[in-house]
Amino acid sequence: MADQEKADIRLEFAKLRQEHSDLDMAINAMAAIGCDPLAIQRMKKKKLAMKDRLKELDDQLVPDIIA
């Protein structure tokens, strides 16, 4: 993998990690004030999708070496 590709993946990873964290804080705030449970559930689903994408990006950066 080229250095530019790795840099692009790292950048996307950092952005997604920040969005994931922000979404987590928003979910906690919404739950604390008693917002619509359906809206909270949708946000949790989006957060889970972000987590899956973060795992995919991490797998691209870290080679799977069997020792």
Side-chain angles (χ1 to χ4, degrees):
M1 184 180 301
D3 289 339
Q4 183 60 41
E5 288 179 68
K6 286 182 182 180
D8 291 342
I9 291 172
R10 285 188 188 108
L11 181 61
E12 183 180 353
F13 185 86
K15 286 179 182 178
L16 272 176
R17 188 174 54 207
Q18 182 62 47
E19 285 181 41
H20 185 270
S21 177
D22 292 346
L23 195 55
D24 187 45
M25 289 188 295
I27 290 169
N28 290 336
M30 288 175 70
I33 62 171
C35 283
D36 178 29
L38 185 57
I40 293 172
Q41 190 64 30
R42 287 182 182 141
M43 291 180 78
K44 286 182 178 181
K45 188 173 182 178
K46 183 177 179 180
K47 182 180 157 195
L48 185 58
M50 281 184 188
K51 184 177 179 181
D52 291 342
R53 180 64 181 149
L54 284 168
K55 178 67 175 139
E56 289 173 11
L57 292 172
D58 188 46
D59 287 345
Q60 289 178 10
L61 290 172
V62 179
D64 189 24
I65 299 173
I66 300 173

